[in-house]
């Protein structure tokens, strides 16, 4: 991880000539403006990715497919993302990262508009594939862009980006459910398209030009792939993401099993837990190894409680813990990748994003199959087992100190 130079500056004498150039510390406004813009972008992208979970019953009925099949709208996004994350830097090794992020937000705008007017499930899936490209590309570059715009603030950048994900769950998922129930799921996707366009404008104003890393591209990626510790950790990312996303697209159905009237406030409670998890992960990042082990295990406990909850109060505890535990993971993954591969953090991030998207694809598809065949409880139990395995695996990995 980049560190700040704490050595005392040498005062030049009058005969020393002009003082050496020193990069000034970012002013407060220059620190927060790029981070707010990056955060808003990832927030609306993630909200768009999981918007089908908010409006699943209405979407499925309108398009004419089962709820399990409609859940594949999330899987389609992840499939595109799995291919995009490792390849976008290879295809665009020298492109200005600011321009790439703006193009990706524009693609997300088009994607949400396509879903909003989709006449069939096939058209809807095409729109979701485009969204997958936008999300994975944005997430691959966001951390590196943030640390370039605000140098020496890795933990702040990681927490800010992850906070955007949490905001998407706090506001996006419940608001999507409210809007979908009130005026229709298509209006919800139309609103997401408008927010993507607004985020692109904000990013264009706030973010400076960000040149690509000199070694970005295929060489950086292949060198990262040779790092055994990195790849072992990527396996743990797959497990914890699979554990979550085998269940998360169907969280509304899990809540409805206990009390259909509690859906909106339960989703909001999940999001509140998510914000708390992001903040706590940033504060405890210095103890990254135990944190990386504890968060997935806590997620497993939450999913087990969700599967076995006999009442609304128990389910509420499970849902809050679910949001809290899983939303520690993005902070952990970004900081862990930058420590294991400090010189190739962009490629480490792209592989982590790929792991997430593969897990989302497999998890949501398997979850849909389990849902249609056996109901919601088995997919929660499968997710719990995978999450606990990820925590045990991460606990065995040595993580360099930041």
């Amino acid at each position: 991880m980049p560190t700040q130079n704490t050595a005392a500056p040498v005062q030049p004498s009058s005969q020393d000539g002009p003082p050496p150039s020193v990069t000034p510390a970012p002013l407060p406004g220059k620190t927060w403006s790029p981070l707010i813009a990056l955060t808003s972008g990832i927030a609306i992208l993630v909200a768009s990715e999981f918007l089908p979970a908010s409006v699943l019953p209405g979407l499925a009925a309108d398009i004419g497919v089962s709820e399990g099949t409609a859940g594949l709208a999330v899987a389609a996004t992840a499939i595109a993302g799995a291919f995009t994350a490792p390849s976008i830097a290879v295809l665009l090794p020298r492109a200005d990262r600011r321009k790439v992020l703006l193009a990706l937000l524009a693609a997300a705008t088009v994607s949400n508009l396509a879903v909003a007017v989709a006449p069939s499930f096939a058209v809807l899936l095409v729109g979701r594939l485009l969204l997958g490209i936008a999300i994975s590309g944005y997430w691959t570059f966001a951390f590196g862009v943030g640390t370039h715009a605000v140098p020496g603030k890795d933990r702040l950048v990681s927490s800010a980006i992850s906070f955007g994900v949490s905001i998407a769950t706090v506001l996006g998922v419940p608001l999507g459910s409210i809007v979908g129930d009130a005026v229709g799921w298509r209006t919800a996707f139309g609103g997401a398209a408008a927010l993507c366009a607004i985020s692109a404008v904000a990013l264009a104003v706030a973010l400076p030009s960000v040149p690509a890393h000199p070694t970005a591209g295929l060489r950086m990626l292949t060198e990262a792939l040779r790092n055994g510790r990195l790849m072992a950790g990527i396996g743990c990312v797959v497990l914890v993401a699979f554990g979550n996303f085998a269940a998360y697209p169907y969280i509304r159905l899990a809540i409805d099993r206990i009390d259909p009237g509690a859906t909106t406030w339960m989703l909001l409670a999940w999001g509140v837990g998510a914000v708390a998890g992001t903040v706590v992960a940033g504060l405890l990042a210095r103890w990254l190894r135990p944190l990386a082990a504890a968060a997935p295990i806590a997620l497993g406990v939450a999913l087990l409680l969700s599967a076995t909850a006999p009442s609304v109060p128990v389910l509420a505890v499970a849902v809050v813990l679910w949001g809290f535990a899983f939303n520690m993971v993005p902070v952990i993954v970004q900081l862990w990748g930058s420590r294991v591969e400090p010189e190739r953090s962009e490629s480490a991030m792209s592989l982590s994003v790929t792991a997430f998207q593969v897990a989302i694809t497999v998890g949501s598809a398997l979850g849909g199959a389990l849902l249609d065949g056996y109901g919601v409880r088995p997919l929660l139990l499968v997710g719990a087992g995978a999450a606990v395995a990820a925590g045990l695996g991460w606990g065995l990995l040595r993580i360099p100190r930041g």
Side-chain angles (χ1 to χ4, degrees), residues 34-35 38 141-151 153 157 161 207:
L35 290 184
L38 285 169
F141 294 132
F143 181 72
V145 167
T147 55
H148 178 90
V150 189
K153 302 287 185 179
V157 172
I161 293 171
L207 198 68

Side-chain angles (χ1 to χ4, degrees), residues 29 49 52 68 83 138 144 150 158 161 170 232 268 270 324 350:
E49 181 170 17
F83 286 101
Y138 192 100
V150 189
S158 177
I161 293 171
V170 171
L268 182 60
W270 193 98
F324 179 86
S350 74

Side-chain angles (χ1 to χ4, degrees), residues 154-181:
D154 292 41
R155 292 181 185 177
L156 178 60
V157 172
S158 177
S159 295
I161 293 171
S162 299
F163 185 75
V165 177
S166 299
I167 288 297
T169 57
V170 171
L171 298 179
V173 175
L175 284 178
S177 180
I178 292 170
V179 172
D181 289 344

Side-chain angles (χ1 to χ4, degrees), residues 128-139:
R128 298 293 294 177
L129 288 169
L130 181 59
L131 182 67
I133 293 171
I135 292 171
S136 290
Y138 192 100
W139 206 317

Side-chain angles (χ1 to χ4, degrees), residues 329-353:
V329 173
V331 178
I332 293 166
V333 169
Q334 290 178 92
L335 293 175
W336 166 80
S338 69
R339 292 187 189 180
V340 174
E341 272 290 7
E343 298 301 320
R344 290 175 282 271
S345 59
E346 187 174 278
S347 289
M349 185 54 57
S350 74
L351 292 171
S352 297
V353 173

Side-chain angles (χ1 to χ4, degrees), residues 366-379:
L366 178 60
L370 289 172
L371 177 68
D372 287 343
Y374 304 99
V376 72
R377 183 175 291 178
L379 59 90

